[in-house]
């Protein structure tokens, strides 16, 4: 996210007349880092009469969202608003640029699955990574036969590295059967690799009306009614979140994939999500403080900051 940080630092320094100390406090970096960012911004031509915005990011909204929810970074796509399906391609395009910048050759990348992540991987040209691991079991539907497995293969190919699918469903209603499947040698090997994931790529699912989540397909109507009565409004990496940002733990024995402890242990959780139907879900996931970097649309960011 160097471009985004350098642009904000340059704006604060040259246009807003902030001191380097104040800029450092806002960005959460040292004054020496601020000086280097400003120098880099000048060398790259970002500093002219006005500050160049290379990916249509709304600098002010991004900074305010980061501060409000304790994010390491946020990228709000300027002027973007509307239904989730309509804005997903542009969000995915921006997310692909961010992934290429954030992920390094020493990172083990973990990815869940979902419509926005399908689009992200499709738009990603190439990037560096040590390996790619599927974080949660699959879900094959008529809409997308990948269920996560093909997505991992495609992402690994973009990095020219090894990809490790999780050959299991994301949920088994029988906890005993789920535990037995976790001990299967092939499944156990991938679950072990999840312990080494440093960067998580995740989409945000909404359980509103209408819902925008493939995770919902794991439950029947009775189960969905019960979960909604218990306050579930969002999902991320197979975890279910209430409006207050609490994770519903009662289904842990039925899920196959990354654990809550492993998600917390990852160095970077990068989440992508936006659109009118996902705003309550976005707020819930952000309240959990699990996300480090968020990519979203301007309409969602404005509403999140008003609540």
């Amino acid at each position: 996210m160097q471009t985004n940080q350098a642009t904000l630092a340059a704006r604060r320094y040259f246009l807003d007349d902030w001191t380097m100390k104040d800029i450092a406090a806002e960005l959460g970096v040292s004054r020496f880092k601020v000086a280097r960012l400003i120098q880099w911004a000048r060398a790259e031509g970002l500093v002219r009469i006005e500050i160049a915005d290379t990916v249509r990011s709304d600098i002010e909204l991004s900074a305010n969202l980061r501060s409000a929810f304790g994010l390491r970074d946020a990228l709000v796509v300027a002027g973007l608003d509307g239904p989730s399906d309509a804005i997903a391609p542009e969000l995915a395009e921006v997310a692909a640029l961010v992934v290429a910048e954030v992920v390094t050759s020493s990172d083990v990348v973990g990815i869940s699955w979902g419509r926005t992540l399908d689009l992200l991987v499709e738009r990603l040209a190439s990037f560096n990574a040590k390996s790619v691991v599927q974080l949660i079991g699959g879900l094959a539907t008529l809409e997308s036969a990948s269920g996560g497995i093909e997505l991992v293969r495609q992402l690994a190919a973009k990095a020219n590295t090894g990809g490790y699918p999780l050959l299991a469903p994301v949920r088994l209603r029988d906890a005993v059967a789920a535990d037995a499947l976790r001990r299967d040698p092939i499944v156990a090997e991938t679950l072990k690799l999840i312990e080494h994931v440093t960067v998580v790529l995740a989409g945000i699912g909404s359980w509103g009306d209408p819902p925008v989540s493939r995770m919902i397909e794991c439950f029947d109507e009775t189960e969905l009614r019960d979960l909604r009565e218990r306050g579930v409004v969002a999902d991320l990496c197979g975890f279910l979140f209430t409006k207050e940002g609490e994770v519903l733990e009662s289904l842990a024995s039925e899920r196959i994939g990354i654990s809550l402890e492993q998600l917390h242990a990852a160095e970077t959780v990068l989440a992508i999500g936006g659109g009118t139907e996902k705003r309550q879900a976005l707020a819930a996931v952000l309240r959990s403080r699990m996300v480090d970097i968020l990519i979203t649309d301007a309409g969602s960011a404005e509403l999140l900051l008003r609540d």
Side-chain angles (χ1 to χ4, degrees):
M1 302 291 289
Q2 180 168 300
T3 301
N4 201 35
Q5 282 192 323
T7 303
L8 179 57
R11 183 183 183 90
R12 294 299 192 215
Y13 187 75
F14 291 105
L15 298 183
D16 300 335
D17 204 28
W18 283 31
T19 67
M20 288 196 181
K21 180 180 179 180
D22 290 337
I23 299 169
E26 182 178 39
L27 294 178
V29 299
S30 70
R31 281 176 288 177
F32 300 105
K33 173 69 171 178
V34 171
R36 288 196 297 273
L37 286 170
I38 292 172
Q39 184 180 22
W40 184 85
R42 295 182 65 179
E44 293 296 314
L46 297 182
V47 178
R48 300 193 298 271
I49 295 175
E50 61 183 17
I51 307 304
D53 188 355
T54 58
V55 290
R56 278 190 57 202
S57 64
D58 188 312
I59 304 300
E60 295 293 336
L61 274 178
S62 298
N64 291 338
L65 198 63
R66 183 178 65 247
S67 177
F69 291 98
L71 297 166
R72 186 190 310 161
D73 217 331
L75 198 154
V76 177
V77 182
L80 190 62
D81 194 4
S84 297
D85 285 347
I87 69 169
E90 188 161 357
L91 277 184
E93 188 171 342
V94 172
L97 296 174
V98 175
V99 168
E101 185 174 337
V102 168
V103 180
T104 70
S105 58
S106 63
D107 282 314
V108 176
V109 178
I111 187 168
S112 56
W113 39 251
R115 298 179 183 93
T116 305
L117 293 178
D118 286 341
L119 293 171
L120 185 162
V121 173
E122 179 183 303
R123 284 157 174 74
L124 189 62
S126 63
F127 72 111
N128 295 312
K130 186 176 181 180
S131 59
V132 176
V133 183
Q134 184 176 337
L135 294 177
I136 59 175
L139 176 67
T141 67
L142 291 176
E143 179 182 348
S144 173
S146 70
I149 297 172
E150 180 64 14
L151 193 62
V152 167
R153 187 196 67 78
Q154 292 174 2
L155 184 61
K158 296 292 178 75
N160 194 27
T161 189
Y164 300 91
L166 184 54
L167 302 178
V170 65
R171 182 193 178 215
L172 285 176
R173 287 177 172 82
D174 186 329
V176 175
D179 189 53
L181 188 52
R182 291 187 196 98
R183 294 196 299 270
D184 176 87
I186 296 176
V187 174
E189 181 182 4
T190 301
L191 292 176
K192 185 69 175 175
L193 290 171
I194 291 174
E195 296 177 6
H196 305 288
V197 165
T198 56
V199 178
V200 169
L201 304 181
I204 296 171
S206 169
W207 288 48
D209 186 16
V212 186
S213 167
R214 291 183 59 202
M215 188 69 192
I216 282 180
E217 298 170 31
C218 296
F219 305 94
D220 62 32
E221 288 302 319
T222 301
E223 291 170 324
L224 287 175
R225 187 164 51 251
D226 175 65
L227 289 169
R228 286 193 171 105
E229 287 175 356
R230 295 163 69 183
V232 173
V233 297
D235 65 73
L236 178 142
C237 286
F239 296 106
L240 309 184
F241 296 79
T242 68
K243 180 180 177 181
E244 293 75 25
E246 297 176 357
V247 177
L248 201 65
E249 290 276 38
S250 59
L251 298 174
S253 62
E254 302 175 1
R255 288 179 63 261
I256 298 179
I258 188 171
S259 69
L260 204 54
E261 293 74 21
Q262 289 168 335
L263 187 61
H264 282 300
E267 294 174 11
T268 301
V269 176
L270 191 157
I272 308 105
T276 50
E277 308 97 325
K278 287 196 176 185
R279 286 165 186 173
Q280 185 181 43
L282 275 165
V285 170
L286 289 176
R287 289 185 187 116
S288 74
R289 302 285 171 163
M290 287 187 188
V291 174
D292 299 300
I293 300 174
L294 176 70
I295 300 168
T296 193
D297 61 293
S300 294
E302 288 170 356
L303 186 64
L304 287 166
L305 291 168
R306 283 200 301 267
D307 289 349

